[in-house]
Amino acid sequence: MNISRTDSQITALRSEVARIDAAAEAGLDPYPIAAREQQRKTRLTEIIRRHEAQPPAGPDPLEPG
């Protein structure tokens, strides 16, 4: 799957991961919700990791400029 994300989208994903961590630390969510949130955190963290592993895109050589 090829999903391109902008830096601002990745910043939003990092904020969501931080929110999930804070909720887990507070321990107020019932188990099913907490488990779902941890699964979501895993998916988001993988998206962030893949984004960071990609080199920045240069200008498109086929684009007139």
Side-chain angles (χ1 to χ4, degrees), residues 34-47:
R36 232 181 356 250
E37 287 288 277
Q38 288 305 308
Q39 290 171 347
R40 179 168 165 71
K41 176 185 171 184
T42 298
R43 286 192 310 272
L44 296 178
T45 301
E46 179 60 21
I47 291 169

Side-chain angles (χ1 to χ4, degrees), residues 8-36:
S8 63
Q9 289 171 318
I10 295 302
T11 299
L13 294 181
R14 285 189 183 109
S15 294
E16 180 66 5
V17 167
R19 186 202 59 77
I20 292 169
D21 284 343
E25 189 174 315
L28 300 176
D29 288 334
Y31 175 75
I33 293 173
R36 232 181 356 250

Side-chain angles (χ1 to χ4, degrees), residues 45-58:
T45 301
E46 179 60 21
I47 291 169
I48 294 166
R49 186 197 63 75
R50 283 190 314 229
H51 175 81
E52 290 173 343
Q54 293 177 357

